[in-house]
Amino acid sequence: MRRRTALPGSVFGVVRYEGAIVAHCMIAYDPGATPSVGLVGHVFTSAEHRRKGLSKVVLRAALAQHEEEGGRHWLLGTGSPGAAALYQSLGFGHLNGGLDSGTRGY
């Protein structure tokens, strides 16, 4: 697993296996905004590598990198109950009222 910043205002979590990306996530944000709010997206694990915890690995890495760069709030959207369970395990919850209800929301 490797974390890297590709462009100002974005961080990525990536897992490669035999040269192919098998798990990925991205956080996009405005580096000049206060507070720094990141939009989490492009979270995926390839079918043959699912159920190994890789999505959690890449999300944790990207969240940590954004936090190191000043990130304090994260938003994402999902319609998948399985994905929602993953996000809840990382501290995300329903916003139901904006950022005042928590620092991570879906």
Side-chain angles (χ1 to χ4, degrees), residues 3 5 9-12 27-31 33 35-40 59-75:
R3 291 186 310 189
T5 300
S10 64
V11 294
F12 295 84
I27 300 175
Y29 63 97
D30 178 352
S36 182
V37 178
L39 177 62
V40 179
L59 276 163
R60 280 186 176 155
L63 289 166
Q65 179 66 29
H66 184 228
E67 192 168 14
E68 287 174 17
E69 296 177 14
R72 296 293 175 261
H73 302 282
W74 297 273
L75 301 170

Side-chain angles (χ1 to χ4, degrees), residues 15-16 21 32 36 41 61 69 80 98 100:
V15 174
R16 293 182 183 269
I21 294 174
S36 182
E69 296 177 14
S80 164
D100 292 335

Side-chain angles (χ1 to χ4, degrees), residues 13 22-26 40-46 49-63 74 76-94 104-106:
V22 298
H24 175 276
C25 78
M26 178 208 69
V40 179
H42 302 283
V43 180
F44 75 84
T45 299
S46 61
H49 293 278
R50 290 186 183 147
R51 314 276 317 150
K52 298 177 183 177
L54 297 179
S55 287
K56 187 176 267 191
V57 168
V58 295
L59 276 163
R60 280 186 176 155
L63 289 166
W74 297 273
L76 58 87
T78 186
S80 164
L86 167 67
Y87 301 136
Q88 288 172 345
S89 77
L90 292 169
F92 284 84
H94 290 283
R104 299 179 181 182
Y106 68 92

